[in-house]
Amino acid sequence: MRKLSTLLVPGLVAMTLAAGPALTSAYAAGGDTPSSPPSSDTSTKKGKKKSSSVSDPKFLAAYRTAYTTIYDNHDYTGAIGQLKSLKRDDVADVANLIGYSYRKLGDYQSSKVYYELALKDDPNHVRTWQYYGLWQLEQGNREQAQYHLNKLASLAGTDSSEYRSLAAALDKPTGATLVY
């Protein structure tokens, strides 16, 4: 039985990883499991190889812990530390969550930096367009928020939860408290 499980588990993991990019590239929303970078280029600016840590079980477990720290515990400071310890803010999902956490703490400049890092890694990262659009609203930039909404419509459609969230925030009167 042990031999069978050592053959089946890697095969299932490989199938899951192979199916993942096809799903995430079509709808790169961001979630509790980070997606692989959108391109097949594995080099960084300095010519070094990026590690494949996004598929490493330890990385995934640490990422999920940070995700829970944010969305279940609302401990944004703790999550920033957890996410930065991954040393992978070049991954859209990681950078987006760091940006989200900074935004929730009111550090808008740091939040902007990380949202832009996320979009640099994946220009079609739906969740970043949503959160950055909410950032724009919180800064009073309604035109930019509308631009982000239009981008969401083209990427994920008007029925997506990300589109509906930003659209609802845009419908609120100026000065209303946003809770997204």
Side-chain angles (χ1 to χ4, degrees):
M1 185 66 167
R2 185 159 171 82
K3 281 189 174 187
L4 181 60
S5 68
T6 59
L7 293 174
L8 287 177
V9 171
L12 291 172
V13 170
M15 287 180 1
T16 302
L17 292 174
L23 296 173
T24 57
S25 63
Y27 185 68
D32 68 346
T33 303
S35 57
S36 298
S39 76
S40 60
D41 181 16
T42 58
S43 62
T44 63
K45 288 182 186 175
K46 297 179 184 175
K48 296 179 182 175
K49 296 285 183 183
K50 280 187 183 180
S51 100
S52 61
S53 65
V54 294
S55 61
D56 175 53
K58 287 181 184 177
F59 173 85
L60 292 172
Y63 176 86
R64 288 184 185 122
T65 297
Y67 187 93
T68 299
T69 301
I70 291 169
Y71 293 109
D72 292 349
N73 303 335
H74 309 287
D75 177 7
Y76 307 112
T77 303
I80 290 169
Q82 291 169 342
L83 290 162
K84 285 185 174 183
S85 74
L86 297 173
K87 298 187 184 331
R88 289 307 308 266
D89 61 1
D90 60 332
V91 173
D93 289 307
V94 173
N96 179 58
L97 288 183
I98 295 171
Y100 175 80
S101 296
Y102 274 125
R103 181 170 64 89
K104 297 303 272 183
L105 292 170
D107 184 346
Y108 291 102
Q109 191 55 43
S110 294
S111 180
K112 178 181 180 182
V113 167
Y114 282 95
Y115 286 148
E116 290 176 358
L117 275 173
L119 291 174
K120 181 179 178 185
D121 177 56
D122 182 358
N124 297 323
H125 196 263
V126 173
R127 184 70 48 86
T128 302
W129 282 105
Q130 174 200 7
Y131 286 173
Y132 202 7
L134 293 167
W135 180 96
Q136 295 290 352
L137 270 179
E138 291 171 11
Q139 298 301 299
N141 303 327
R142 293 186 70 77
E143 280 185 38
Q144 279 298 309
Q146 184 62 51
Y147 172 80
H148 288 247
L149 185 68
N150 295 341
K151 184 70 174 180
L152 282 170
S154 70
L155 292 172
T158 58
D159 288 334
S160 69
S161 62
E162 294 82 7
Y163 178 92
R164 290 191 317 266
S165 166
L166 184 53
L170 269 163
D171 285 343
K172 290 186 182 222
T174 302
T177 303
L178 300 175
V179 291
Y180 302 97

